[in-house]
Amino acid sequence: MRPYILAENNWKTVKETHYEVAVLPWGACEAHNYHLPYGTDIIEADFVAAEGARIAWEQGAKVIVLPAIPFGVNTGQFDVKLDMNMNPSTQLAVLRDVVEVLHRQEIYKLIILNSHGGNDFRTMIRELGLQFPKMFLTSCNWYQAVDQKDFFENKDDHAGEMETSVILHLKPELVRPLSEAGDGAAKKFRITGIREGWAWAERKWLQVTKDTGVGDPRKATAEKGERYFKAVTEKVANYFLEVAKADRDNLYA
Ligand SMILES: [Zn+2]
């Protein structure tokens, strides 16, 4: 029983513990090339949240990790079989209910640990912040916590070298041999502003990639995944710790 994982604890413990911050891991259930499982983003969210919370807890942060939400925004992958889209408006409704529970229980801080590029909680946080002014709501994308260039040869946008290495480290039994993986080659927008990154449009996934991957997975190893996971979770733990200890009325210096 890990004291920082809600689903592993009982009412007696929970009733008697004062928690400073809740962590909500948020994944997606979607195709990840031919070699990674649909649950890749959920596995990553669960493991990063748990390891970040473990380190933070040992440094005195009262963190409680909620069960991961398994469905992400997959509007661009509408034609990929069994990609389980949850619309942004539904996510807002789910998030509002979670925030309402925490608010009622006087846990005034929530961290959303996001694992999926299609999820974007910032506008939701703005709206819920108005409705629940006592709450400190924050989100992070763990995959942006450290520079992937320091760990991997090929850039990973989806199911590439980073994600494959991480799952080879965390759940190797769920990874098919890399010889079965597609090359993750992906087309880019013809429109210059979008290619440069300052303009944006959603990608129609199956027009961009043949194997659903965006990023070459073939140089992935468990060792790379382990080193990267350690670096990411150390940073995530520090973020959990800082949020736990932050004074909600004195956040700026
Ligand atoms: Zn993923």
Side-chain angles (χ1 to χ4, degrees), residues 3 25 41 46 53 78 85 89 112 123 125 136-137 140 146 178 180 189 218 221:
D41 293 6
D46 271 335
F78 60 92
N85 176 51
S89 53
I112 304 164
T123 56
I125 284 174
F136 180 61
L137 305 170
C140 73
V146 300
L178 288 180
E180 294 177 17
F189 268 108
R218 291 172 297 181
T221 68

PDB file of all heavy atoms in Angstrom, residues 3 25 41 46 53 78 85 89 112 123 125 136-137 140 146 178 180 189 218 221:
ATOM      1  N   PRO A   3       1.069   5.106   0.388  1.00  0.00           N
ATOM      2  CA  PRO A   3       0.165   6.075   1.045  1.00  0.00           C
ATOM      3  C   PRO A   3      -0.270   7.230   0.154  1.00  0.00           C
ATOM      4  O   PRO A   3      -1.234   7.931   0.478  1.00  0.00           O
ATOM      5  CB  PRO A   3       1.010   6.589   2.221  1.00  0.00           C
ATOM      6  CG  PRO A   3       2.424   6.311   1.856  1.00  0.00           C
ATOM      7  CD  PRO A   3       2.403   5.069   1.020  1.00  0.00           C
ATOM      8  N   PRO A  25      -3.787  12.108 -12.938  1.00  0.00           N
ATOM      9  CA  PRO A  25      -3.129  11.711 -14.199  1.00  0.00           C
ATOM     10  C   PRO A  25      -4.196  11.612 -15.292  1.00  0.00           C
ATOM     11  O   PRO A  25      -5.286  11.108 -15.043  1.00  0.00           O
ATOM     12  CB  PRO A  25      -2.539  10.323 -13.881  1.00  0.00           C
ATOM     13  CG  PRO A  25      -2.746  10.097 -12.410  1.00  0.00           C
ATOM     14  CD  PRO A  25      -3.881  10.981 -11.992  1.00  0.00           C
ATOM     15  N   ASP A  41      -0.381   5.944 -23.138  1.00  0.00           N
ATOM     16  CA  ASP A  41      -0.444   7.232 -22.415  1.00  0.00           C
ATOM     17  C   ASP A  41      -0.957   7.053 -20.982  1.00  0.00           C
ATOM     18  O   ASP A  41      -0.592   7.820 -20.085  1.00  0.00           O
ATOM     19  CB  ASP A  41      -1.329   8.239 -23.159  1.00  0.00           C
ATOM     20  CG  ASP A  41      -0.716   8.661 -24.491  1.00  0.00           C
ATOM     21  OD1 ASP A  41       0.324   8.109 -24.892  1.00  0.00           O
ATOM     22  OD2 ASP A  41      -1.290   9.559 -25.141  1.00  0.00           O
ATOM     23  N   ASP A  46       0.217   6.999 -15.196  1.00  0.00           N
ATOM     24  CA  ASP A  46       0.189   6.306 -13.902  1.00  0.00           C
ATOM     25  C   ASP A  46       1.587   6.213 -13.288  1.00  0.00           C
ATOM     26  O   ASP A  46       1.769   6.508 -12.115  1.00  0.00           O
ATOM     27  CB  ASP A  46      -0.350   4.873 -14.093  1.00  0.00           C
ATOM     28  CG  ASP A  46      -1.865   4.816 -13.954  1.00  0.00           C
ATOM     29  OD1 ASP A  46      -2.438   5.694 -13.271  1.00  0.00           O
ATOM     30  OD2 ASP A  46      -2.464   3.879 -14.519  1.00  0.00           O
ATOM     31  N   ALA A  53       5.106  11.242  -7.079  1.00  0.00           N
ATOM     32  CA  ALA A  53       4.479  11.350  -5.760  1.00  0.00           C
ATOM     33  C   ALA A  53       5.317  10.647  -4.690  1.00  0.00           C
ATOM     34  O   ALA A  53       5.433  11.130  -3.558  1.00  0.00           O
ATOM     35  CB  ALA A  53       3.068  10.762  -5.806  1.00  0.00           C
ATOM     36  N   PHE A  78     -10.342  10.317 -35.494  1.00  0.00           N
ATOM     37  CA  PHE A  78     -11.709   9.780 -35.536  1.00  0.00           C
ATOM     38  C   PHE A  78     -11.811   8.503 -36.351  1.00  0.00           C
ATOM     39  O   PHE A  78     -12.673   7.666 -36.116  1.00  0.00           O
ATOM     40  CB  PHE A  78     -12.665  10.845 -36.106  1.00  0.00           C
ATOM     41  CG  PHE A  78     -12.301  11.268 -37.500  1.00  0.00           C
ATOM     42  CD1 PHE A  78     -12.862  10.632 -38.590  1.00  0.00           C
ATOM     43  CD2 PHE A  78     -11.367  12.277 -37.710  1.00  0.00           C
ATOM     44  CE1 PHE A  78     -12.509  11.001 -39.885  1.00  0.00           C
ATOM     45  CE2 PHE A  78     -11.010  12.659 -39.000  1.00  0.00           C
ATOM     46  CZ  PHE A  78     -11.581  12.004 -40.088  1.00  0.00           C
ATOM     47  N   ASN A  85     -12.191   8.738 -28.336  1.00  0.00           N
ATOM     48  CA  ASN A  85     -12.262  10.195 -28.153  1.00  0.00           C
ATOM     49  C   ASN A  85     -13.137  10.600 -26.972  1.00  0.00           C
ATOM     50  O   ASN A  85     -14.255  10.134 -26.826  1.00  0.00           O
ATOM     51  CB  ASN A  85     -12.817  10.835 -29.428  1.00  0.00           C
ATOM     52  CG  ASN A  85     -13.010  12.334 -29.269  1.00  0.00           C
ATOM     53  OD1 ASN A  85     -12.085  13.024 -28.838  1.00  0.00           O
ATOM     54  ND2 ASN A  85     -14.192  12.829 -29.572  1.00  0.00           N
ATOM     55  N   SER A  89     -15.324  19.353 -24.209  1.00  0.00           N
ATOM     56  CA  SER A  89     -16.435  19.792 -23.344  1.00  0.00           C
ATOM     57  C   SER A  89     -16.781  18.718 -22.305  1.00  0.00           C
ATOM     58  O   SER A  89     -17.168  19.036 -21.177  1.00  0.00           O
ATOM     59  CB  SER A  89     -17.661  20.141 -24.191  1.00  0.00           C
ATOM     60  OG  SER A  89     -17.997  19.068 -25.041  1.00  0.00           O
ATOM     61  N   ILE A 112      -3.001  18.560 -12.676  1.00  0.00           N
ATOM     62  CA  ILE A 112      -3.350  17.614 -13.745  1.00  0.00           C
ATOM     63  C   ILE A 112      -2.039  17.201 -14.411  1.00  0.00           C
ATOM     64  O   ILE A 112      -1.308  18.051 -14.935  1.00  0.00           O
ATOM     65  CB  ILE A 112      -4.287  18.248 -14.781  1.00  0.00           C
ATOM     66  CG1 ILE A 112      -5.549  18.792 -14.091  1.00  0.00           C
ATOM     67  CG2 ILE A 112      -4.665  17.230 -15.864  1.00  0.00           C
ATOM     68  CD1 ILE A 112      -6.323  19.763 -14.974  1.00  0.00           C
ATOM     69  N   THR A 123      -7.518  26.230 -20.948  1.00  0.00           N
ATOM     70  CA  THR A 123      -8.752  27.037 -20.985  1.00  0.00           C
ATOM     71  C   THR A 123      -9.738  26.536 -19.917  1.00  0.00           C
ATOM     72  O   THR A 123     -10.487  27.323 -19.347  1.00  0.00           O
ATOM     73  CB  THR A 123      -9.417  26.969 -22.377  1.00  0.00           C
ATOM     74  OG1 THR A 123      -9.655  25.598 -22.704  1.00  0.00           O
ATOM     75  CG2 THR A 123      -8.527  27.593 -23.441  1.00  0.00           C
ATOM     76  N   ILE A 125      -8.880  25.298 -16.998  1.00  0.00           N
ATOM     77  CA  ILE A 125      -8.375  25.812 -15.722  1.00  0.00           C
ATOM     78  C   ILE A 125      -8.793  27.276 -15.543  1.00  0.00           C
ATOM     79  O   ILE A 125      -9.196  27.690 -14.459  1.00  0.00           O
ATOM     80  CB  ILE A 125      -6.841  25.640 -15.649  1.00  0.00           C
ATOM     81  CG1 ILE A 125      -6.526  24.163 -15.370  1.00  0.00           C
ATOM     82  CG2 ILE A 125      -6.222  26.538 -14.591  1.00  0.00           C
ATOM     83  CD1 ILE A 125      -5.051  23.817 -15.424  1.00  0.00           C
ATOM     84  N   PHE A 136      -6.214  26.209  -6.284  1.00  0.00           N
ATOM     85  CA  PHE A 136      -5.054  26.435  -7.155  1.00  0.00           C
ATOM     86  C   PHE A 136      -5.006  25.268  -8.137  1.00  0.00           C
ATOM     87  O   PHE A 136      -4.760  24.124  -7.758  1.00  0.00           O
ATOM     88  CB  PHE A 136      -3.758  26.521  -6.348  1.00  0.00           C
ATOM     89  CG  PHE A 136      -2.552  26.744  -7.226  1.00  0.00           C
ATOM     90  CD1 PHE A 136      -2.450  27.878  -8.015  1.00  0.00           C
ATOM     91  CD2 PHE A 136      -1.532  25.803  -7.278  1.00  0.00           C
ATOM     92  CE1 PHE A 136      -1.348  28.085  -8.845  1.00  0.00           C
ATOM     93  CE2 PHE A 136      -0.423  25.996  -8.104  1.00  0.00           C
ATOM     94  CZ  PHE A 136      -0.334  27.139  -8.883  1.00  0.00           C
ATOM     95  N   LEU A 137      -5.291  25.566  -9.397  1.00  0.00           N
ATOM     96  CA  LEU A 137      -5.360  24.538 -10.442  1.00  0.00           C
ATOM     97  C   LEU A 137      -4.167  24.704 -11.369  1.00  0.00           C
ATOM     98  O   LEU A 137      -3.899  25.793 -11.860  1.00  0.00           O
ATOM     99  CB  LEU A 137      -6.661  24.703 -11.244  1.00  0.00           C
ATOM    100  CG  LEU A 137      -7.959  24.696 -10.423  1.00  0.00           C
ATOM    101  CD1 LEU A 137      -9.148  25.118 -11.282  1.00  0.00           C
ATOM    102  CD2 LEU A 137      -8.203  23.308  -9.841  1.00  0.00           C
ATOM    103  N   CYS A 140       0.485  20.070 -16.122  1.00  0.00           N
ATOM    104  CA  CYS A 140       1.804  19.966 -16.762  1.00  0.00           C
ATOM    105  C   CYS A 140       1.769  18.855 -17.786  1.00  0.00           C
ATOM    106  O   CYS A 140       0.951  17.930 -17.695  1.00  0.00           O
ATOM    107  CB  CYS A 140       2.892  19.676 -15.730  1.00  0.00           C
ATOM    108  SG  CYS A 140       2.861  18.002 -15.103  1.00  0.00           S
ATOM    109  N   VAL A 146      11.766  17.619 -19.485  1.00  0.00           N
ATOM    110  CA  VAL A 146      13.210  17.686 -19.812  1.00  0.00           C
ATOM    111  C   VAL A 146      13.363  17.610 -21.335  1.00  0.00           C
ATOM    112  O   VAL A 146      12.476  17.126 -22.036  1.00  0.00           O
ATOM    113  CB  VAL A 146      14.024  16.542 -19.144  1.00  0.00           C
ATOM    114  CG1 VAL A 146      13.922  16.586 -17.636  1.00  0.00           C
ATOM    115  CG2 VAL A 146      13.609  15.193 -19.666  1.00  0.00           C
ATOM    116  N   LEU A 178      10.685  -4.569 -32.180  1.00  0.00           N
ATOM    117  CA  LEU A 178      10.777  -3.334 -32.955  1.00  0.00           C
ATOM    118  C   LEU A 178      10.827  -3.595 -34.464  1.00  0.00           C
ATOM    119  O   LEU A 178      10.525  -2.712 -35.263  1.00  0.00           O
ATOM    120  CB  LEU A 178      11.987  -2.521 -32.503  1.00  0.00           C
ATOM    121  CG  LEU A 178      11.813  -1.873 -31.120  1.00  0.00           C
ATOM    122  CD1 LEU A 178      13.045  -1.071 -30.725  1.00  0.00           C
ATOM    123  CD2 LEU A 178      10.575  -0.988 -31.082  1.00  0.00           C
ATOM    124  N   GLU A 180       8.714  -5.192 -35.970  1.00  0.00           N
ATOM    125  CA  GLU A 180       7.314  -5.116 -36.411  1.00  0.00           C
ATOM    126  C   GLU A 180       6.783  -3.691 -36.464  1.00  0.00           C
ATOM    127  O   GLU A 180       5.681  -3.441 -36.953  1.00  0.00           O
ATOM    128  CB  GLU A 180       6.416  -5.934 -35.469  1.00  0.00           C
ATOM    129  CG  GLU A 180       6.695  -7.425 -35.517  1.00  0.00           C
ATOM    130  CD  GLU A 180       5.829  -8.210 -34.521  1.00  0.00           C
ATOM    131  OE1 GLU A 180       4.809  -7.666 -34.036  1.00  0.00           O
ATOM    132  OE2 GLU A 180       6.193  -9.355 -34.227  1.00  0.00           O
ATOM    133  N   PHE A 189       2.405  19.871 -42.619  1.00  0.00           N
ATOM    134  CA  PHE A 189       1.493  20.800 -43.290  1.00  0.00           C
ATOM    135  C   PHE A 189       2.207  21.539 -44.419  1.00  0.00           C
ATOM    136  O   PHE A 189       3.365  21.933 -44.287  1.00  0.00           O
ATOM    137  CB  PHE A 189       0.980  21.847 -42.284  1.00  0.00           C
ATOM    138  CG  PHE A 189      -0.301  21.466 -41.605  1.00  0.00           C
ATOM    139  CD1 PHE A 189      -0.303  21.089 -40.263  1.00  0.00           C
ATOM    140  CD2 PHE A 189      -1.511  21.512 -42.296  1.00  0.00           C
ATOM    141  CE1 PHE A 189      -1.482  20.749 -39.623  1.00  0.00           C
ATOM    142  CE2 PHE A 189      -2.705  21.173 -41.654  1.00  0.00           C
ATOM    143  CZ  PHE A 189      -2.700  20.794 -40.310  1.00  0.00           C
ATOM    144  N   ARG A 218      12.728   3.150 -33.945  1.00  0.00           N
ATOM    145  CA  ARG A 218      13.586   1.974 -34.089  1.00  0.00           C
ATOM    146  C   ARG A 218      14.900   2.026 -33.313  1.00  0.00           C
ATOM    147  O   ARG A 218      15.573   1.006 -33.186  1.00  0.00           O
ATOM    148  CB  ARG A 218      13.791   1.669 -35.571  1.00  0.00           C
ATOM    149  CG  ARG A 218      12.468   1.158 -36.198  1.00  0.00           C
ATOM    150  CD  ARG A 218      12.537   1.018 -37.681  1.00  0.00           C
ATOM    151  NE  ARG A 218      12.757   2.315 -38.327  1.00  0.00           N
ATOM    152  CZ  ARG A 218      12.832   2.479 -39.636  1.00  0.00           C
ATOM    153  NH1 ARG A 218      12.692   1.453 -40.437  1.00  0.00           N
ATOM    154  NH2 ARG A 218      13.043   3.684 -40.147  1.00  0.00           N
ATOM    155  N   THR A 221      15.518   2.018 -26.675  1.00  0.00           N
ATOM    156  CA  THR A 221      15.988   0.952 -25.780  1.00  0.00           C
ATOM    157  C   THR A 221      15.428   1.191 -24.379  1.00  0.00           C
ATOM    158  O   THR A 221      15.113   2.326 -24.013  1.00  0.00           O
ATOM    159  CB  THR A 221      17.533   0.919 -25.655  1.00  0.00           C
ATOM    160  OG1 THR A 221      17.969   2.103 -24.957  1.00  0.00           O
ATOM    161  CG2 THR A 221      18.227   0.838 -27.011  1.00  0.00           C
TER     162      THR A 221
END
